[in-house]
Amino acid sequence: AAFVCFHGGGWSGGFPRRFYPFVDHFARLGLVGISVEYRLLNRDLGTTVFDCVKDARSAIRYIRSHASELGIDPNKLIVSGGSAGAHLAAGTALFDGIEEPGDDISISTSPNVMILYYPVIDTSICGYGNEKIGDRWRELSPVDNVRGDLPPTLLLHGTGDKLTPFAGAKRFTQEMLEAGNDCQLIPFEGGRHGYLIFDLDLFDQAMDQTEVFLSELEMLD
């Protein structure tokens, strides 16, 4: 299996090294760890959040099409991320039709599992990113694009998150369950945005919770 991560940073900042601790943790458990670089939102360069999503979907296509070379099972792709990176992770399954020109769309971008840490999950004015995305925000709002037959999903989210409000994660989980999907939400009482990256004990706890979820899906030995 592969554990593929997208870093956070509001789509406009951050870098892959930020998620090395996550991919390293699962590499030590026998998975292949991958932290993805993607184009960042930059109005001066004309780069939009749609480009970030396209890169995330292209990355999954690349990994699937090079699975043999990378030594992974293309049917065991775990996609994860934090904050805006978790939004991109969700977008690999949810945002069909947002494609980079020239991509082989016969290769599925949908992962087999999604692990979303404090995700940007609602891009309405009640969530995060509405002004950054613009009028087409609904196309890139995970909670507004839930359907059936989505991958098993785990969310870890602080109830005190004021950047990406907990209400969005709660609503997303409810929508997923009502659509017949396997979805679990683990709240951290009072936790701020990104709570698990500021405290090593909380990080270890989050990794343990993730391991339990992946073991139940037979993604870990």
Side-chain angles (χ1 to χ4, degrees), residues 40-201:
L40 298 176
L41 170 65
N42 187 316
R43 288 187 172 87
D44 292 338
L45 297 177
T47 308
T48 69
V49 179
F50 284 86
D51 293 315
C52 303
V53 171
K54 289 175 183 178
D55 283 359
R57 293 173 65 82
S58 294
I60 300 304
R61 287 197 171 103
Y62 181 92
I63 291 166
R64 273 224 164 90
S65 63
H66 293 78
S68 178
E69 174 187 337
L70 296 170
I72 64 174
D73 184 338
N75 297 312
K76 287 189 175 182
L77 293 188
I78 303 154
V79 173
S80 181
S83 193
H87 171 269
L88 300 181
T92 64
L94 289 165
F95 301 150
D96 290 347
I98 311 297
E99 318 292 2
E100 182 69 15
D103 270 11
D104 182 354
I105 60 173
S106 69
I107 302 171
S108 173
T109 65
S110 186
N112 303 95
V113 184
M114 293 194 292
I115 308 291
L116 309 179
Y117 301 111
Y118 45 96
V120 172
I121 206 73
D122 174 8
T123 60
S124 73
I125 57 173
C126 297
Y128 176 87
N130 190 263
E131 293 183 358
K132 290 185 176 184
I133 297 173
D135 293 340
R136 295 174 62 192
W137 66 267
R138 191 178 296 274
E139 293 177 54
L140 299 186
S141 182
V143 74
D144 292 294
N145 285 277
V146 173
R147 59 181 187 275
D149 298 319
L150 290 174
T153 302
L154 174 68
L155 295 87
L156 278 70
H157 210 111
T159 64
D161 194 328
K162 295 181 180 179
L163 191 65
T164 61
F166 180 74
K170 192 172 180 180
R171 182 181 153 214
F172 178 81
T173 303
Q174 182 179 351
E175 295 281 352
M176 287 282 283
L177 294 173
E178 289 179 356
N181 299 308
D182 176 2
C183 188
Q184 295 182 29
L185 170 61
I186 300 178
F188 182 72
E189 193 62 37
R192 60 172 166 158
H193 186 67
Y195 72 93
L196 60 92
I197 63 172
F198 302 110
D199 184 307
L200 188 56
D201 288 338

Side-chain angles (χ1 to χ4, degrees), residues 11-44:
W11 303 294
S12 59
F15 39 85
R17 185 174 290 276
R18 280 190 175 175
F19 260 71
Y20 281 9
F22 293 79
V23 296
D24 178 68
H25 178 88
F26 290 100
R28 291 172 186 269
L29 296 177
L31 280 64
V32 174
I34 300 172
S35 189
V36 177
E37 183 177 18
Y38 54 90
R39 284 174 290 179
L40 298 176
L41 170 65
N42 187 316
R43 288 187 172 87
D44 292 338

